[in-house]
Amino acid sequence: MVEGPGCTRNGRKSQTLVGKIVIASEPVVGEGMKCVPNDVAQTLAGQTLESVFTVGKELYLIFKESIDGAEYEKALRLHFGMNGSLNIRKADNKSSGVAPWKQNKQVSLRLYFSDSSTSRISILEAWDTNVSTRVSAEASRNKLFNLACKDACSTMFNAQEVFVSLRRDGHSLSVSDALLHQEIFPGVGNIIKVESMHRSQIDPRRIVCDLSDAELRRLIRHARKFSMDWLNTGRAGTKLVYNQTVCGTCNGMSVKMQKIGGNEDGGSTKGLMSRVTFWCVTCQPSAVNSSRSNQNNNPQSMAPAINKENTMQQSFRLAPTAVVPSIPAPQCPQHGTKTIKLCRTRNSTKQNNLRLFFTCKSRGCNYFSWADSKFPNCKCGGKAVLRVSKTEKSGGRWFLCCANTDRKSESNDGCGHFEWAKPEHIAPLGHHLTPLM
């Protein structure tokens, strides 16, 4: 998911186009480079990009045109979803700014801008992005006016406004849902949510109204800091629990993984989704006594809490943090062990679908090796695939199942093979194995 920092950086790139005029097409680029979508480009042709701003995880482009002396405005809203991206480049340099994997990929939006002072043409391109014209410029500005003070990446951020909003509008929500609510804390996504809760020593299943003022303020502070560090560096900070099996704070095999939140109770939490959430059952106990609120806020100083959930840690000990000595680490013949990466096949043949394999991260290296030699075969004849549970009872525990078994599909043609993974299945994968792969 493109979270607030990524969207804000895209907004800053787009601000270089303010004052330029949209043109319907650019003949210099050649065939196959038409404006996309065509109706959007035609509608905006001749209009000037007046302003660019972001609100949380949404980017707004405001255009202005003059007709018979009267000025009219139109707005374009971009939401980057899970994998969206945006690029600005000059039209006279065809090779600049576009990553190789994007060059042959269908764009969600392509607009050409002309600079009247230099006659140079710039191109705005977006991929895997939801583009909406069903929003007015006035409504967009009102949203900015109302939410800028709560935006995790805004220069106008006010922690007290977020605190009040969480107490007023999120009091009955779980902490996990409240942080992701874009009317309460715009810009916060799943990674920011998970890491800020861990640094604040708060279990994501707790309800906002049960948090002390000190806990809530600490949570807001960590969410803001993680967001701004990400914005300033262009990279997410150290992930202590997100997509981890070992807690980066206490180094214990105590990271739990579960889908949390959404409208599971059929209540009024409109627009909220159940999201995969990670937390350490040692550092983020479900039952918190008042003395813990006064502890040092530095996550490195967290002391393990006595909690009945610690007995669940045994469930997560099936994913060791290092390859056991008796099993050789995977190694690329050319580049050694440091460039090894564990991947999963996607949309492959039925026999090889979802299988794990090792490859090399070095550019141009063709190293490949199946990583499931220790896995059993299912009754379908192929290798069983390794998956991770996301349920409340066994979240974070690895299991082996038939690759063709899909509980969500009516045309389920799998054999139904299932067994909990054993250490001999997991050990050869070592630290390369992560829950979200």
Side-chain angles (χ1 to χ4, degrees):
M1 171 68 72
V2 178
E3 306 191 13
C7 182
T8 303
R9 290 176 70 90
N10 286 338
R12 290 178 177 179
K13 288 190 289 186
S14 302
Q15 286 175 350
T16 60
L17 300 174
V18 171
K20 298 183 179 181
I21 301 172
V22 179
I23 58 177
S25 63
E26 169 50 280
V28 175
V29 179
E31 296 182 1
M33 291 289 285
K34 305 300 182 182
C35 295
V36 179
N38 288 327
D39 56 340
V40 174
Q42 294 296 333
T43 301
L44 298 175
Q47 299 187 27
T48 302
L49 181 61
E50 182 181 20
S51 63
V52 175
F53 55 84
T54 57
V55 181
K57 295 185 281 187
E58 297 176 337
L59 169 62
Y60 291 91
L61 307 176
I62 308 298
F63 298 88
K64 180 178 67 175
E65 66 175 338
S66 298
I67 302 177
D68 298 331
E71 292 187 344
Y72 300 89
E73 290 184 326
K74 291 182 181 179
L76 209 59
R77 183 187 75 100
L78 278 65
H79 189 283
F80 297 97
M82 291 295 296
N83 302 302
S85 60
L86 180 141
N87 184 60
I88 309 293
R89 62 189 178 94
K90 300 297 183 182
D92 55 4
N93 189 345
K94 300 180 183 179
S95 62
S96 67
V98 180
W101 64 269
K102 294 180 182 178
Q103 290 177 1
N104 297 321
K105 190 173 184 179
Q106 178 65 39
V107 297
S108 305
L109 177 69
R110 180 181 289 121
L111 294 175
Y112 296 93
F113 292 83
S114 174
D115 189 335
S116 57
S117 61
T118 63
S119 299
R120 299 188 67 180
I121 295 174
S122 301
I123 305 175
L124 179 149
E125 294 171 308
W127 292 264
D128 300 317
T129 300
N130 179 272
V131 181
S132 176
T133 58
R134 296 182 178 181
V135 58
S136 70
E138 182 180 5
S140 302
R141 287 198 176 93
N142 287 339
K143 190 168 189 177
L144 174 66
F145 178 80
N146 293 327
L147 297 181
C149 60
K150 297 186 286 185
D151 191 329
C153 295
S154 173
T155 56
M156 295 182 283
F157 178 79
N158 186 324
Q160 181 62 23
E161 291 288 343
V162 179
F163 178 84
V164 172
S165 185
L166 282 167
R167 283 294 189 215
R168 181 186 63 230
D169 304 320
H171 69 285
S172 62
L173 300 177
S174 69
V175 182
S176 183
D177 273 347
L179 284 181
L180 291 180
H181 199 302
Q182 295 302 294
E183 298 292 325
I184 295 176
F185 209 161
V188 173
N190 206 37
I191 296 177
I192 298 173
K193 175 199 78 174
V194 167
E195 291 301 324
S196 60
M197 285 191 296
H198 177 73
R199 287 159 169 77
S200 304
Q201 310 167 41
I202 294 173
D203 187 300
R205 298 165 298 179
R206 294 179 65 190
I207 307 301
V208 172
C209 61
D210 293 334
L211 298 181
S212 68
D213 285 355
E215 288 176 312
L216 195 56
R217 293 187 188 280
R218 185 166 69 237
L219 179 60
I220 295 170
R221 184 170 65 252
H222 281 297
R224 167 68 170 178
K225 185 179 186 307
F226 194 92
S227 300
M228 291 305 296
D229 288 346
W230 189 346
L231 174 64
N232 294 331
T233 63
R235 292 180 178 272
T238 301
K239 299 180 181 67
L240 299 175
V241 289
Y242 184 85
N243 199 22
Q244 306 295 319
T245 53
V246 177
C247 174
T249 298
C250 67
N251 294 320
M253 301 290 292
S254 50
V255 177
K256 186 173 173 62
M257 172 188 181
Q258 181 185 331
K259 280 193 172 183
I260 293 178
N263 301 327
E264 296 173 354
D265 59 355
S268 59
T269 52
K270 183 179 179 181
L272 299 178
M273 298 174 58
S274 180
R275 301 295 303 274
V276 175
T277 304
F278 299 84
W279 73 98
C280 174
V281 297
T282 299
C283 300
Q284 299 166 256
S286 57
V288 181
N289 57 48
S290 58
S291 64
R292 286 187 62 80
S293 298
N294 299 321
Q295 290 182 1
N296 192 322
N297 293 340
N298 186 343
Q300 299 300 329
S301 66
M302 294 182 194
I306 298 176
N307 187 286
K308 65 181 181 180
E309 273 194 85
N310 291 347
T311 60
M312 299 176 62
Q313 292 183 23
Q314 195 65 30
S315 299
F316 314 117
R317 295 186 183 277
L318 294 178
T321 58
V323 179
V324 295
S326 59
I327 300 177
Q331 179 173 327
C332 172
Q334 287 183 281
H335 305 100
T337 59
K338 293 185 178 181
T339 58
I340 289 295
K341 181 180 180 181
L342 183 65
C343 301
R344 188 186 294 276
T345 60
R346 303 286 183 183
N347 303 319
S348 183
T349 62
K350 185 176 180 179
Q351 185 177 6
N352 291 329
N353 190 34
L354 301 179
R355 290 182 64 183
L356 298 175
F357 64 92
F358 290 113
T359 186
C360 181
K361 293 185 286 187
S362 298
R363 181 174 296 180
C365 184
N366 296 321
Y367 172 74
F368 175 92
S369 175
W370 288 115
D372 54 6
S373 60
K374 299 294 183 180
F375 295 2
N377 291 334
C378 67
K379 296 177 182 178
C380 295
K383 283 287 187 181
V385 296
L386 185 66
R387 308 302 294 268
V388 65
S389 172
K390 302 173 186 176
T391 64
E392 180 178 358
K393 186 176 181 180
S394 59
R397 191 174 178 185
W398 297 94
F399 62 91
L400 293 159
C401 66
C402 174
N404 301 318
T405 300
D406 186 356
R407 290 176 295 177
K408 298 180 180 180
S409 174
E410 295 181 359
S411 58
N412 189 333
D413 56 354
C415 65
H417 177 89
F418 177 90
E419 62 177 292
W420 292 114
K422 299 180 177 64
E424 57 264 31
H425 301 140
I426 302 295
L429 307 177
H431 65 277
H432 302 288
L433 182 64
T434 55
L436 293 182
M437 68 175 308

